[in-house]
Amino acid sequence: MPRELKTHVLLARGSGYTLFLAEAGAVLRMRAEEATGGEGEEKCSSTLRLKLEDANRKPVVSGLDELPGRSNYLVGADARVWRTGVPAFERVRYESVYKGIAVVYYGRQGRLEYDFVVAPDADPARIRLRFDGARGTRVDDDGDLIIKTDGCDVRQQRPVAYQEFEGVRREVAARYAQDAHGRVRFELVTTTAGARSS
């Protein structure tokens, strides 16, 4: 069962990233590694704010798939701001970020992923992503999104989209696209049933 989360800031860590989730969007502290040839690896870091353009500013936020155990955050000398018994979840869902569209954040094999869950009557063309802190974005020949920062490039793999119809999952051709303002969107071939893109 989803559990509505009253807190406005959530934190997740994985290999290569730290993620802060708030009502207004996600802040990603990414650490990328680039091979240097013989001496090992050169590390670089960047901070990106993922914003959903023209999205609902007050979405209902729920934790999904609660994990065992609790965490305590005893920061500072003022016990009134300490947080104890904080639950952890595998996924966090933001409901109705656009009409009929939710977004779910989660980690998979040390990578940050997010899915847009689109209802049958909703329009996925409303989804617009902006990466504050990026110097630019481009789509490479493999269909991956390359986000250029001062420190390094961050890669997001090409989107995967599918429809579920009568219990059967069918893949839908999808790709990243950009508008004249540099905002990132998804292009789908068809949207006749509920679809998910990630």
Side-chain angles (χ1 to χ4, degrees):
M1 289 290 293
R3 177 173 171 181
E4 185 174 346
L5 304 178
K6 301 299 184 182
T7 183
H8 298 300
V9 179
L10 304 156
L11 171 66
R13 290 187 178 92
S15 177
Y17 72 87
T18 301
L19 170 68
F20 300 89
L21 296 177
E23 282 182 336
V27 178
L28 293 80
R29 174 70 177 172
M30 295 186 173
R31 299 178 303 279
E33 297 181 352
E34 296 179 345
T36 58
E39 299 298 325
E41 295 178 333
E42 177 184 345
K43 296 184 179 180
C44 56
S45 64
S46 60
T47 299
L48 296 172
R49 181 181 295 274
L50 169 61
K51 300 190 75 172
L52 304 181
E53 291 277 274
D54 301 320
N56 176 11
R57 293 177 179 267
K58 297 288 184 180
V60 175
V61 182
S62 300
L64 307 176
D65 304 325
E66 187 169 348
L67 298 169
R70 293 288 187 272
S71 297
N72 299 311
Y73 297 92
L74 311 179
V75 180
D78 187 352
R80 293 174 297 179
V81 299
W82 293 353
R83 296 292 179 263
T84 60
V86 178
F89 301 88
E90 286 188 5
R91 298 176 294 149
V92 176
R93 181 182 177 109
Y94 282 53
E95 197 64 54
S96 299
V97 290
Y98 301 100
K99 184 178 179 181
I101 301 175
V103 61
V104 180
Y105 295 93
Y106 58 97
R108 175 179 293 172
Q109 297 179 345
R111 292 179 178 269
L112 170 67
E113 297 196 9
Y114 50 92
D115 292 346
F116 288 96
V117 184
V118 183
D121 58 346
D123 182 8
R126 295 192 63 189
I127 301 170
R128 291 287 190 278
L129 309 179
R130 191 177 81 226
F131 296 90
D132 289 351
R135 299 187 63 183
T137 57
R138 66 180 178 85
V139 180
D140 71 7
D141 293 339
D142 294 324
D144 295 347
L145 179 67
I146 309 301
I147 306 166
K148 187 173 183 59
T149 73
D150 287 330
C152 53
D153 291 347
V154 176
R155 177 183 300 271
Q156 293 198 349
Q157 294 183 333
R158 68 178 181 83
V160 175
Y162 60 85
Q163 296 174 317
E164 289 185 349
F165 184 70
E166 295 182 349
V168 178
R169 181 178 295 187
R170 300 173 181 171
E171 188 169 347
V172 176
R175 65 177 184 175
Y176 290 114
Q178 295 179 272
D179 64 17
H181 302 285
R183 295 172 298 194
V184 176
R185 58 187 173 84
F186 301 101
E187 287 187 349
L188 306 179
V189 171
T190 180
T191 58
T192 57
R196 176 178 293 176
S197 61
S198 61

